[in-house]
Structures are given as structure tokens and as C-alpha cells.
Amino acid sequence: MQVCTRCVLPETYPGIKFDENGVCNYCSNHKKWTYRGKELLDDFLSKFSGKGQKYDCVIGVSGGRDSSYALNYLAKNCNLKVVAFTGDSGFIPQAAKDNMKRMTDILGVELVTYNHDMLKRCVQHDLRSWLRKPTPAMIPMICS
């Protein structure tokens, strides 16, 4: 089985193509991030502090490390009035829910959880489709 010489994605990955050096199209098309500095970020975010009546910004949270760090950074370091938001498809692990609740309680931030039947029906549809004909291409649909 061929794998990318740079990232080791296998040839079975959906949509993958390899060049003459064995590098996949995902690596070839990847644009490197340019770190522009904490000062630029803080300067940008300071423009929003105190601008909203009730909130200065909304941040999506999942209960994972990345969104928890971002929530903490905005609430503590940037002094923004933040509201945390999550959409519940019915498949959020209890540990993630507990993390979101704990984090928002500690920071004194409101957590809004959006429960909608359509979201649950979409997830159920995607899961049934996967069970009927499992393909790697369906994995992102299930994860979303």
C-alpha cells in the first residue's frame, strides 16, 4: 500500500493523489501558517472589549482542550464578556459536557446549549447511511 512520504496518509484516503516523489496532494496544497504574534492578536481583540451591551463575543466550545483554552484566553486575558455556545446533536460525551460546565462556571461565563430536533435527525440519518454502506468518505459527516 502506498503512503505519503511526508504525512503517511494511505492511498485508501478519499481523494488522495501522489506526485512523482510520493507526496500526497494534501501535503502539496498545504499552506504553512504564519505566526504573526500575540501582540497583534491582543491588539485586534482589544477593539471588542466593552463594545457589547451584554456580550462582546460568542465562542463555540466542545469541551476539548482547544476551545477550553480559547474560552479561557478570551475571558481572562482579553477581558471580553464572552458567551460560550455548543450545539448538542445527542452524541456529545458526558465528559465533554462536564468540561464545558466546569469551565464556564469557573470563568463566570454563560453556556448556551442549542438542542434542535433537526440536528439530531441529521446525525441519525448520517449514522444510518454509514451503517447501510460504510465508506471512509462518510466519516466526516458522522463526526460533524
Side-chain angles (χ1 to χ4, degrees):
M1 176 183 304
Q2 184 176 7
V3 296
C4 177
T5 56
R6 196 176 292 167
C7 72
V8 300
L9 276 177
E11 64 186 328
T12 55
Y13 194 81
I16 198 165
K17 294 175 182 68
F18 299 96
D19 66 15
E20 60 279 352
N21 298 319
V23 177
C24 75
N25 53 314
Y26 295 102
C27 287
S28 298
N29 295 330
H30 175 72
K31 292 182 178 142
K32 188 172 181 172
W33 284 71
T34 303
Y35 180 69
R36 296 172 55 186
K38 181 180 174 307
E39 296 78 23
L40 187 62
L41 174 65
D42 289 343
D43 182 52
F44 175 76
L45 292 173
S46 70
K47 296 174 186 171
F48 300 99
S49 182
K51 301 293 182 193
Q53 291 182 11
K54 189 171 181 182
Y55 304 111
D56 296 325
C57 70
V58 176
I59 183 169
V61 293
S62 66
R65 291 180 197 158
D66 294 343
S67 64
S68 296
Y69 177 84
L71 173 63
N72 181 65
Y73 188 83
L74 293 175
K76 287 261 180 138
N77 297 54
C78 301
N79 299 315
L80 293 171
K81 294 177 286 188
V82 182
V83 60
F85 176 86
T86 190
D88 188 356
S89 63
F91 289 96
I92 297 176
Q94 189 59 46
K97 291 178 183 180
D98 294 344
N99 287 346
M100 288 184 276
K101 175 81 170 103
R102 188 176 320 111
M103 191 72 177
T104 53
D105 285 350
I106 288 169
L107 294 171
V109 169
E110 182 181 354
L111 173 62
V112 175
T113 302
Y114 182 70
N115 293 299
H116 195 282
D117 286 339
M118 180 59 79
L119 185 58
K120 290 179 183 176
R121 285 196 306 257
C122 287
V123 170
Q124 290 169 349
H125 170 75
D126 291 344
L127 193 54
R128 278 193 216 102
S129 297
W130 164 262
L131 292 172
R132 272 194 305 272
K133 187 176 180 186
T135 65
M138 282 293 295
I139 292 172
M141 292 298 296
I142 294 169
C143 292
S144 67

